[in-house]
């Protein structure tokens, strides 16, 4: 098995996306309580009542148990120390120990809706992604910013297209999560060939590319503007399914926007 060598920051930058995938996998078996009911967000709303949302939840690391802190613990315990700040560790060991650190899952991760996850991180100064900088200028280059929850999809689309030779401005649309779903309104003429939906998750800073096969417009709703159709993709933690047809769509790729900087 391959090894990785570097500082904590360097190793975290490399292994961060992989550990996010691991947490997603581990979280699935904890989505139901002992009675078989789905876990809901237990954070409090403004009226002091529990949120109780159960769709589109995030697996939010509790303050003090962030992924970076867990990785640091693993490096201190299992890595070969090259210098005071440089570690060398087997990647398989790192992943196995990362999973073990989540065995006490309820005291490591809590399920929260996107709104309360964001608020929790801000209130507790949890920094489990990158430094968050609040921006107002939507035209700032991704090379010059640290992505925030306010980053608009129109600023992101050109970078996704530039990274994928099969995409162009006419054969794809981008949408961010709104009311726990993605809404797309492509032109019918553009659906005669393969069409791609860029599902932007503004909370996790990633874009999932899903494919609509050419002439597969039977799954779409026609709009008042008869030149367009409506495609609705509910935001879940599993498949990407078109709401009307209940058809599972093909995932082509998933991009971490931080990697495009």
């Amino acid at each position: 098995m391959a090894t990785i060598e570097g500082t904590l920051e360097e190793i975290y930058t490399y292994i961060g996306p992989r550990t996010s995938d691991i947490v997603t996998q581990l979280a699935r078996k904890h989505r139901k309580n002992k009675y078989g009911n789905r876990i809901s967000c237990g954070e409090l709303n403004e009226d002091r009542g529990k949120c109780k949302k159960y769709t589109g939840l995030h697996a939010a690391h509790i303050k003090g148990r962030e992924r970076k802190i867990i990785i640091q613990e693993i490096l201190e315990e299992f890595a070969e120390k090259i210098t005071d700040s440089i570690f060398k560790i087997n990647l398989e060991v790192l992943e196995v120990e990362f999973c073990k650190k989540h065995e006490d899952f309820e005291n490591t991760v809590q399920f929260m809706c996107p709104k309360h996850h964001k608020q929790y991180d801000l209130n507790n100064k949890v920094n489990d992604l990158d430094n968050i900088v609040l921006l107002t200028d939507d035209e700032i280059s991704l090379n010059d910013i640290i992505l925030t929850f306010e980053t608009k999809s129109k600023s992101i689309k050109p970078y996704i297209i530039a990274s994928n030779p099969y995409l162009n401005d006419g054969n794809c649309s981008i949408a961010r999560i709104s009311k726990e779903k993605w809404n797309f309104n492509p032109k019918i003429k553009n659906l005669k060939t393969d069409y791609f939906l860029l599902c932007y998750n503004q909370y996790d800073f990633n874009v999932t590319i899903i494919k609509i096969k050419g002439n597969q417009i039977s799954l779409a709703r026609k709009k008042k503007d008869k030149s367009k159709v409506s495609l609705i993709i509910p935001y879940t933690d599993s498949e990407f399914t078109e709401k009307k047809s209940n058809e599972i769509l093909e995932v082509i790729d998933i991009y971490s926007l931080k990697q495009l900087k």
Side-chain angles (χ1 to χ4, degrees), residues 78-183:
F78 297 96
E80 176 186 353
K81 212 162 186 181
I82 306 300
T83 69
D84 287 343
S85 61
I86 296 178
F87 303 87
K88 181 178 181 180
I89 190 169
N90 183 295
L91 282 172
E92 184 176 8
V93 171
L94 200 159
E95 289 196 10
V96 168
E97 296 303 324
F98 186 82
C99 290
K100 288 182 180 179
K101 293 284 186 180
H102 286 78
E103 288 178 349
D104 187 9
F105 196 81
E106 292 182 357
N107 290 316
T108 306
V109 172
Q110 291 181 354
F111 290 107
M112 300 180 194
C113 70
K115 173 185 174 182
H116 283 116
H117 184 189
K118 175 186 177 182
Q119 195 59 52
Y120 177 87
D121 285 357
L122 290 174
N123 290 346
N124 293 281
K125 298 181 180 179
V126 172
N127 183 15
D128 199 25
L129 296 169
D130 281 329
N131 292 325
I132 294 177
V133 177
L134 299 180
L135 303 174
T136 57
D137 185 354
D138 295 332
E139 302 304 321
I140 295 176
S141 168
L142 288 181
N143 292 312
D144 300 324
I145 68 172
I146 295 173
L147 293 161
T148 76
F149 288 89
E150 286 70 29
T151 304
K152 300 298 189 295
S153 51
K154 69 178 182 180
S155 303
I156 295 167
K157 184 180 178 182
Y159 294 89
I160 302 298
I161 291 175
S163 301
N164 296 274
Y166 59 87
L167 295 180
N168 58 64
D169 197 51
N171 74 353
C172 65
S173 301
I174 189 167
R176 67 196 317 228
I177 297 169
S178 176
K179 297 181 180 178
E180 299 190 1
K181 60 183 178 294
W182 289 278
N183 292 285

Side-chain angles (χ1 to χ4, degrees), residues 31 38-43 51-54 57 111-112:
R31 283 301 308 273
R38 292 191 71 180
I39 299 292
S40 60
C41 177
E43 297 298 294
C51 173
K52 295 184 179 180
K53 284 189 177 181
Y54 64 89
L57 298 185
F111 290 107
M112 300 180 194

Side-chain angles (χ1 to χ4, degrees), residues 24-46:
T24 298
Q25 295 168 14
L26 295 174
R28 289 195 178 107
K29 63 182 180 181
H30 294 278
R31 283 301 308 273
K32 293 183 179 180
N33 61 25
K34 61 182 180 180
Y35 304 107
N37 299 319
R38 292 191 71 180
I39 299 292
S40 60
C41 177
E43 297 298 294
L44 299 181
N45 291 320
E46 289 79 1

